Amino acid sequence: MDKYSFLNAAHTSFFAELYDKYLKSPDSIEPSWRAFFQGFDFGSELALDELDVQTMIHAPGINNGQDLQMPQSLQKEFQVIRLIDGYRNRGHLFTKTNPVRDRRKYSPTLDIENFGLSQNDLDTVFNAGEIIGIGASTLSEIIKHLKRIYCDAIGVEYMYIRKPERIEWIQNWLNVNDNHPDYKVEHKKRILKKLNQAVSFEGFLHTKYVGQKRFSLEGNESLIPALDAVVERAAELGVKQFVMGMAHRGRLNVLTNIFGKAAKDIFSEFDGKDYEQEIFDGDVKYHLGWTSERKTDNGNMIKMNIAPNPSHLETVGAVVEGIARAKQDTHFPDDFSKVLPIVVHGDAAIAGQGVVYEVVQMADLDGYRTNGTIHMVVNNQIGFTTNYLDARSSTYCTDVGKVTLSPVLHVNADDAEAVVHASLFALEYRMRFNSDVFIDLLGYRKYGHNEGDEPRFTQPKLYKAIAKHPNPRDIYAEKLINEGVIEKEFVKELEEEYKASLEEELEDSRREDKTEITPFMADEWKGFVNVREWEMMESVDTTFERKSLDAIAKVITELPQDKKFLRKVDKLIKERKKTYFETDRLDWAMGELLAYGTLLKEGFGVRMSGQDVERGTFSHRHAVLKVEESEEEILLLNHLSKDQGRFQIYNSLLSEYGVVGFDYGYAMASPNTLTIWEAQFGDFSNGAQIMIDQYISAAEDKWKLQNGLVMLLPHGYEGQGAEHSSARMERYLQLCARDNMYIADVTTPAQMFHILRRQMKVNFRKPLIIFTPKSLLRHPKAVSSIDELASGSFQVILDDPDADVKKVKTLVFCTGKFYYDLLAAKEEKGREDVALVRIEQLFPLPAEEMKGIIEKYKKADDLVWAQEEPRNMGAWSHMMMHFSDSNKFRVASRRFYASPAAGSAVRSKMRHQQVIDYVYDKDKDNMSKPVPRPKKEEKA
């Protein structure tokens, strides 16, 4: 008796289903069957074209090392399943997704001969058809369905996903109607209506504003019905808010036809009118943000937000994620899916900009997740003038999506129904699995980079094809006419009606003299006001009752008794308690933690993120404590009271650009949360320079955006080399103007306490950059009393507390940690004739207070500006610009250098000491002078 007769006894559909499961997830089936299928695959790969009626395979675990004879019918079933698997894995390479070019060729193809099948098998019925939902079918029918599912206008990449339930869900979705929509007449007419709006809007602008930049959507107009469908369906699924980010191309079209911005306002921006607001510089029209409420066809209200963005491509993506997370935390903490982020990319940008990768890596991290983002790529197949073949090495521009094993759909932008179908797939997938999904909308760009550019200089062949190509509306209208859904006149009526409404809006806009910029997310900013520089300088009450302060201190200096912590942690917390309650002194960490605690008690939220912030780079903060055995996280600041605000602190991924963007976005949407980003070392913040230049320093002037983001930048020369010394304060100070942000370099825990509290106690928000210490975190003199916290306030300038006005001959102004270096030298030298004055806030600069100090020490005939940075760095250039009496200063600093600090600790210490020596003796060698250049040798 054949001991393997079970292969004949069972129905082939049973084995087909089992083999399909094996291909999706080998570990999901019983081990002996897994071994059997591994043997079959092994034999097939070695001698696929030599297989005959009786395939001989070696299948350990099934046949105990003996050769097994497999019936031909079963062998063929397996080969058909492998063909199906081939389409699932590689079908996207053979789609009809490019509307204006031939696709690149890939091999091997999906020809049946590559799977051990032949033309003779085409009429054979295979049970494998059940896998794609069509039941037992002939091979020709199976192939027909596979091509419709995987090789038509939508190409799908998903087989790399490692969760079988997601793969199964995707396949079930794709199998319905062979991955083709079956829309009702009204739905088709709506798609046509939105396409008409997209096409007509661009045509109207092209006629009325000839040659003006508008970064038209022409060639990808199907984005509009896609977004429209997502909004309508998302509202049905419970989404309450959209947060969207996109660059220039198509933005004006999206603003008008999706977000409901009045066309007359866009026309006013085209006409270049001045702004109604006096204290406002504004920005170009395709950078502006918008917030609106939209009522869907089913009567659901949904809030729409499109974030303002700079020209810097992909920067807005990080900001959008931060805005979305803030809205989720604030309004829907129990169901993040109610806020949906959508990021619209360009094909060249998503492939070329590194911040995309940083943002994608945030998708599943506790501190940054937003339960899935829909990424839509408006793929023009070109970047400015660069062909896509020169713009990336990857097969697709969307290959970054595979980092998080997200499904990717490539869609022909000319097929409007396919685009809407793919977009609804993306929405359903996101809502079901709380995961990112990518749509690659493959179209073209009708004109050059802008409407005045000549694209044929660099792509003559492509633009010859584009010039003859009909737009997506006309293509879809023709389809509907052929289906009998509409008459020819229907499209003309749609176009005329929409253009008439635009004409009316144009007339209305020309009756107005000025443009008004509507604030972004005004609903989140009720009660806040805009202020000028002098108002930023007004004193703020940041006191906090001593009794309540003691109560907070008690909570954060007592560990849970039922949990075991590392001895070092136990000792640290006990020392904090002893120092606070027995010595009436507190160090930097305690001052900082108490600032957070008091704000939490007052109902504010606190969020901090950055590299290693939970413990602190210099092991000072310990805001998160780990239970020794379980690594359970304990946040003592979340145990102050039942009605307190929420304290969140997250170690970030090793990113500056993306994380600063995220936290900036968070602060933008949550003004009642103290949002902090801390650099590992202040020097590393230049990795986020685009965020600093485009948003942090300029957004209020450009887009009327207030933001209270705090950046903590460890700064100070301690001989740690060029990249661990300077936070580049000169760069931040150079960006300061009028009233755009606060810059501080504080020197005591009390100052830190009050400046953080001030940030939330005012009725406006400005970014705050604080140059924080490293060595001062444990400096015996960098301490404060409890009363300085309870009853004090932030001081923009700190006078020398020990100076005798009558004796002072040298008046030294300095900032930050350098004060303590100068103080040590003063005490060592016994120099009672020197007063050391600390500028704690560098912008807005306390110029009047400085003048008052100079007047106070009127007997001082030696006025010194002292800094540890080189002369071309640090705050000196800022002082020259903003302090009228700066010409009276003698400057003590390092010489001019290209690098912030020497790599040699010995050399660094020597230079540091030379600056200190010069502060106290103006006859010493002045290190601030440039090194003299050697004379050029004369020619012989």
Side-chain angles (χ1 to χ4, degrees):
M1 179 179 175
D2 181 0
K3 63 188 284 189
Y4 303 111
S5 60
F6 69 92
L7 292 174
N8 289 312
H11 197 281
T12 53
S13 62
F14 166 75
F15 299 113
E17 184 181 349
L18 203 59
Y19 186 50
D20 185 48
K21 285 184 178 178
Y22 162 76
L23 290 174
K24 289 179 189 173
S25 177
D27 293 335
S28 68
I29 65 170
E30 197 272 330
S32 60
W33 278 113
R34 184 166 66 244
F36 174 81
F37 292 133
Q38 285 170 345
F40 172 72
D41 283 350
F42 179 69
S44 298
E45 288 165 7
L46 285 181
L48 191 59
D49 54 2
E50 295 178 10
L51 289 171
D52 54 20
V53 175
Q54 301 296 332
T55 300
M56 309 300 290
I57 65 171
H58 181 70
I62 289 290
N63 58 2
N64 297 317
Q66 301 176 31
D67 286 337
L68 170 65
Q69 292 187 328
M70 180 185 292
Q72 184 189 30
S73 60
L74 187 57
Q75 168 207 327
K76 290 284 187 180
E77 287 284 356
F78 285 177
Q79 287 164 356
V80 174
I81 295 167
R82 291 188 64 196
L83 173 68
I84 293 170
D85 195 54
Y87 272 87
R88 289 168 172 171
N89 278 290
R90 302 181 69 248
H92 58 87
L93 298 172
F94 305 96
T95 53
K96 303 167 187 173
T97 49
N98 199 321
V100 289
R101 303 194 209 207
D102 292 331
R103 282 212 58 156
R104 285 185 277 182
K105 305 300 180 188
Y106 295 94
S107 64
T109 65
L110 296 173
D111 293 344
I112 58 175
E113 290 77 11
N114 290 324
F115 297 89
L117 299 163
S118 71
Q119 297 297 311
N120 295 330
D121 298 314
L122 289 174
D123 293 328
T124 304
V125 174
F126 292 98
N127 289 301
E130 294 180 10
I131 295 169
I132 57 172
I134 61 173
S137 304
T138 62
L139 179 59
S140 60
E141 276 296 307
I142 290 171
I143 292 169
K144 175 185 171 185
H145 283 275
L146 286 172
K147 285 183 176 178
R148 277 176 55 79
I149 294 170
Y150 293 105
C151 300
D152 199 3
I154 302 175
V156 190
E157 295 184 273
Y158 69 96
M159 287 297 285
Y160 43 75
I161 295 173
R162 295 172 192 153
K163 296 183 177 179
E165 69 275 12
R166 296 191 182 191
I167 291 179
E168 184 176 3
W169 184 90
I170 291 171
Q171 288 175 351
N172 289 338
W173 172 282
L174 297 177
N175 290 343
V176 175
N177 296 329
D178 290 347
N179 193 23
H180 283 65
D182 183 19
Y183 294 138
K184 294 178 180 177
V185 169
E186 288 310 308
H187 197 166
K188 292 183 177 188
K189 286 184 175 180
R190 185 181 181 92
I191 292 173
L192 181 61
K193 178 185 175 184
K194 298 309 288 187
L195 269 177
N196 175 69
Q197 290 176 355
V199 171
S200 300
F201 180 79
E202 298 294 354
F204 189 85
L205 292 180
H206 192 63
T207 304
K208 301 297 181 179
Y209 298 98
V210 179
Q212 279 209 46
K213 288 182 187 178
R214 68 178 192 276
F215 295 101
S216 120
L217 188 58
E218 287 161 285
N220 277 97
E221 292 97 332
S222 50
L223 175 69
I224 299 301
L227 289 173
D228 177 68
V230 168
V231 171
E232 292 287 326
R233 177 64 179 145
E236 292 175 15
L237 295 175
V239 172
K240 299 299 182 186
Q241 292 206 38
F242 275 95
V243 185
M244 185 170 165
M246 67 182 295
H248 313 21
R249 189 154 306 281
R251 186 186 189 88
L252 300 179
N253 210 317
V254 168
L255 278 167
T256 299
N257 293 314
I258 299 297
F259 282 79
K261 182 173 181 177
K264 75 178 183 66
D265 293 335
I266 290 176
F267 298 150
S268 289
E269 291 156 13
F270 267 103
D271 289 331
K273 298 171 185 174
D274 199 3
Y275 303 106
E276 282 194 358
Q277 297 86 346
E278 191 176 323
I279 314 165
F280 179 61
D281 284 341
D283 199 0
V284 290
K285 51 194 166 291
Y286 34 79
H287 286 179
L288 302 176
W290 185 259
T291 297
S292 60
E293 275 201 289
R294 170 171 164 170
K295 189 174 184 179
T296 69
D297 285 358
N298 287 338
N300 298 301
M301 296 304 298
I302 195 157
K303 189 161 286 184
M304 311 279 289
N305 304 280
I306 183 168
N309 64 278
S311 290
H312 294 64
L313 300 171
E314 301 296 343
T315 298
V316 74
V319 177
V320 161
E321 300 296 345
I323 293 171
R325 176 58 181 264
K327 286 178 173 289
Q328 289 165 342
D329 281 343
T330 303
H331 303 298
F332 310 102
D334 299 322
D335 187 0
F336 278 15
S337 65
K338 290 186 181 297
V339 180
L340 174 59
I342 300 178
V343 181
V344 180
H345 309 265
D347 55 311
I350 193 174
Q353 293 292 313
V355 71
V356 177
Y357 176 84
E358 295 181 34
V359 172
V360 165
Q361 279 286 19
M362 294 177 180
D364 292 323
L365 304 181
D366 284 346
Y368 309 93
R369 65 180 177 85
T370 54
N371 274 27
T373 298
I374 295 177
H375 298 268
M376 303 186 79
V377 181
V378 176
N379 190 336
N380 303 293
Q381 308 186 57
I382 195 168
F384 201 163
T385 68
T386 301
N387 192 294
Y388 74 98
L389 293 171
D390 297 317
R392 63 178 185 268
S393 297
S394 58
T395 301
Y396 296 111
C397 63
T398 49
D399 282 348
V400 68
K402 295 172 189 174
V403 169
T404 47
L405 306 179
S406 302
V408 181
L409 287 79
H410 308 277
V411 197
N412 189 322
D414 273 359
D415 190 331
E417 287 189 12
V419 172
V420 171
H421 186 62
S423 302
L424 292 176
F425 166 93
L427 173 66
E428 299 279 355
Y429 185 88
R430 184 268 179 179
M431 297 300 289
R432 185 178 184 88
F433 296 111
N434 299 324
S435 176
D436 284 10
V437 59
F438 289 74
I439 295 176
D440 178 13
L441 186 61
L442 205 73
Y444 54 91
R445 193 180 69 195
K446 186 173 181 180
Y447 302 103
H449 177 63
N450 59 61
E451 285 63 37
D453 193 30
E454 174 53 82
R456 288 174 296 181
F457 286 145
T458 49
Q459 278 84 22
K461 186 178 176 182
L462 172 63
Y463 275 86
K464 192 174 287 185
I466 289 173
K468 301 173 185 175
H469 198 75
N471 66 57
R473 179 199 63 189
D474 293 346
I475 292 171
Y476 189 52
E478 187 69 26
K479 178 177 183 287
L480 296 188
I481 291 168
N482 292 336
E483 290 178 1
V485 173
I486 60 169
E487 301 290 333
K488 281 188 177 181
E489 289 301 310
F490 184 79
V491 184
K492 188 177 180 182
E493 289 169 7
L494 275 181
E495 187 174 11
E496 288 176 353
E497 182 183 344
Y498 185 67
K499 283 190 174 178
S501 71
L502 293 178
E503 287 284 2
E504 194 175 320
E505 297 258 11
L506 182 62
E507 287 180 25
D508 289 346
S509 80
R510 294 200 165 154
R511 294 191 191 101
E512 298 173 359
D513 297 327
K514 293 190 176 181
T515 298
E516 182 177 1
I517 302 299
T518 304
F520 178 58
M521 289 196 303
D523 54 313
E524 304 284 8
W525 287 84
K526 289 175 183 173
F528 290 90
V529 299
N530 293 94
V531 298
R532 302 302 300 272
E533 186 176 326
W534 57 86
E535 294 167 288
M536 293 169 67
M537 294 293 287
E538 291 177 357
S539 181
V540 179
D541 181 5
T542 53
T543 59
F544 196 81
E545 185 186 28
R546 171 68 185 262
K547 183 179 177 182
S548 299
L549 197 66
D550 290 346
I552 295 171
K554 187 175 186 297
V555 172
I556 65 174
T557 58
E558 291 183 355
L559 294 170
Q561 294 300 306
D562 59 339
K563 301 181 189 299
K564 185 182 178 183
F565 296 85
L566 289 171
R567 278 184 295 177
K568 284 187 177 180
V569 170
D570 191 52
K571 182 182 177 184
L572 170 77
I573 300 301
K574 284 177 179 175
E575 284 179 354
R576 282 182 179 174
K577 185 172 186 177
K578 180 179 179 181
T579 305
Y580 182 93
F581 289 103
E582 295 182 19
T583 69
D584 190 34
R585 285 283 181 271
L586 44 87
D587 63 6
W588 202 276
M590 239 349 229
E592 182 189 331
L593 294 172
L594 286 169
Y596 305 148
T598 57
L599 290 170
L600 292 167
K601 282 287 287 181
E602 291 172 331
F604 295 103
V606 176
R607 173 192 163 92
M608 174 183 279
S609 88
Q611 295 151 24
D612 311 294
V613 296
E614 294 177 4
R615 186 200 78 174
T617 297
F618 311 103
S619 197
H620 82 288
R621 182 174 293 118
H622 294 286
V624 176
L625 304 171
K626 296 281 184 82
V627 177
E628 186 172 2
E629 297 300 326
S630 65
E631 292 196 357
E632 177 190 353
E633 295 186 346
I634 304 296
L635 283 73
L636 297 174
L637 280 167
N638 273 330
H639 297 276
L640 303 177
S641 63
K642 290 181 179 179
D643 58 348
Q644 69 170 84
R646 184 182 175 200
F647 178 64
Q648 302 179 76
I649 184 165
Y650 301 103
N651 285 344
S652 74
L653 64 161
L654 199 64
S655 151
E656 288 84 34
Y657 189 176
V659 174
V660 169
F662 186 101
D663 284 328
Y664 180 86
Y666 196 100
M668 189 191 300
S670 187
N672 286 313
T673 297
L674 178 67
T675 306
I676 301 171
W677 176 76
E678 181 176 60
Q680 193 174 66
F681 285 84
D683 313 56
F684 303 162
S685 63
N686 55 15
Q689 198 65 49
I690 290 175
M691 284 306 316
I692 294 161
D693 291 347
Q694 301 304 322
Y695 277 98
I696 291 169
S697 66
E700 189 171 348
D701 267 6
K702 291 193 293 187
W703 306 315
K704 294 178 72 171
L705 291 183
Q706 291 193 59
N707 196 291
L709 179 68
V710 178
M711 295 177 65
L712 303 182
L713 308 180
H715 173 89
Y717 282 61
E718 280 112 351
Q720 296 187 56
E723 272 76 58
H724 297 84
S725 298
S726 173
R728 294 291 198 170
M729 64 168 64
E730 64 278 358
R731 295 182 179 177
Y732 295 91
L733 292 171
Q734 186 183 35
L735 293 170
C736 290
R738 300 195 303 188
D739 48 31
N740 63 332
M741 54 185 171
Y742 285 110
I743 310 284
D745 191 2
V746 297
T747 56
T748 71
Q751 286 284 82
M752 186 68 171
F753 174 88
H754 289 294
I755 198 170
L756 290 173
R757 283 183 53 73
R758 181 184 73 174
Q759 191 71 356
M760 303 306 290
K761 298 293 283 184
V762 293
N763 62 346
F764 59 89
R765 294 289 179 262
K766 303 284 182 181
L768 168 62
I769 286 74
I770 307 179
F771 301 105
T772 54
K774 295 174 286 183
S775 59
L776 292 195
L777 297 175
R778 295 173 181 81
H779 197 289
K781 293 206 171 189
V783 295
S784 298
S785 69
I786 298 170
D787 279 342
E788 285 178 296
L789 271 63
S791 306
S793 63
F794 178 68
Q795 305 297 311
V796 293
I797 191 167
L798 290 177
D799 196 358
D800 192 326
D802 302 317
D804 185 340
V805 175
K806 298 175 183 176
K807 296 179 180 178
V808 172
K809 299 295 183 185
T810 297
L811 178 59
V812 181
F813 286 91
C814 62
T815 66
K817 165 251 176 190
F818 197 39
Y819 162 76
Y820 290 95
D821 298 335
L822 295 174
L823 179 62
K826 177 182 175 181
E827 291 173 348
E828 182 185 333
K829 297 173 186 294
R831 292 289 297 272
E832 294 183 356
D833 62 329
V834 175
L836 301 175
V837 178
R838 288 164 274 177
I839 309 298
E840 298 281 292
Q841 179 174 288
L842 287 159
F843 192 85
L845 186 71
E848 293 306 312
E849 289 84 348
M850 289 175 68
K851 289 177 181 178
I853 293 283
I854 293 171
E855 179 62 27
K856 174 183 174 182
Y857 294 99
K858 59 178 66 176
K859 291 188 176 180
D861 55 6
D862 183 22
L863 191 59
V864 181
W865 174 260
Q867 65 179 40
E868 53 187 343
E869 302 86 2
R871 175 76 79 89
N872 55 310
M873 302 176 197
W876 172 236
S877 57
H878 174 71
M879 296 300 300
M880 288 194 292
M881 284 193 290
H882 291 272
F883 188 58
S884 58
D885 290 340
S886 61
N887 60 320
K888 297 177 182 177
F889 283 105
R890 171 169 65 89
V891 183
S893 72
R894 282 168 164 80
R895 288 192 177 102
F896 292 78
Y897 288 108
S899 177
S904 161
V906 172
R907 179 171 291 186
S908 182
K909 186 176 180 181
M910 176 189 70
R911 290 177 179 173
H912 198 69
Q913 189 59 48
Q914 286 173 330
V915 178
I916 293 171
D917 291 344
Y918 181 58
V919 168
Y920 288 98
D921 186 351
K922 56 186 173 184
D923 295 326
K924 288 275 187 180
D925 179 31
N926 184 356
M927 287 298 295
S928 68
K929 291 179 180 177
V931 179
R933 296 185 180 183
K935 292 182 180 180
K936 192 174 181 181
E937 291 182 6
E938 295 181 4
K939 292 181 181 179

